[in-house]
Amino acid sequence: MVAALQIASKDADHDLREIFGSHGQIVSCVVERRAYANRHALLRFDQVACAEKAAAEMNGSKLRGSRLTVEIVGGAPGGAAAAARRPGAPY
């Protein structure tokens, strides 16, 4: 699972699906809705490699003027290696 932090966009769900979707199929995208500017989102990809690539390439990128912090969080029991051995397991 990928966490995108410091999201200022009010249209974050659509924006995140659009820009992160180029790295792989997004199974789910949940944006924490806050009354103030900064939000965070959790994106689950269908493959571990896609999540890792998205985190590596998107960290430090900008979304509507806000610099994103993007990192791998959570994951499957046993870590990324265990998830990679289970074909089709989302990450």
Side-chain angles (χ1 to χ4, degrees):
M1 190 166 353
V2 173
L5 311 172
Q6 303 171 12
I7 301 165
S9 173
K10 67 179 181 179
D11 301 318
D13 183 73
H14 173 75
D15 293 340
L16 290 168
R17 286 182 179 274
E18 186 174 313
I19 63 170
F20 280 85
S22 65
H23 299 286
Q25 183 175 346
I26 297 171
V27 175
S28 66
C29 176
V30 177
V31 179
E32 180 184 279
R33 306 286 180 199
R34 296 181 181 180
Y36 48 94
N38 291 334
R39 300 173 169 106
H40 71 269
L42 297 174
L43 296 101
R44 183 177 299 273
F45 285 82
D46 67 337
Q47 296 180 20
V48 173
C50 295
E52 291 171 342
K53 181 179 178 184
E57 293 182 10
M58 297 301 297
N59 188 41
S61 65
K62 288 191 174 185
L63 174 63
R64 296 193 179 201
S66 294
R67 186 167 306 281
L68 298 175
T69 300
V70 182
E71 55 193 42
I72 296 290
V73 296
R85 290 190 297 269
R86 287 195 308 271
Y91 191 70

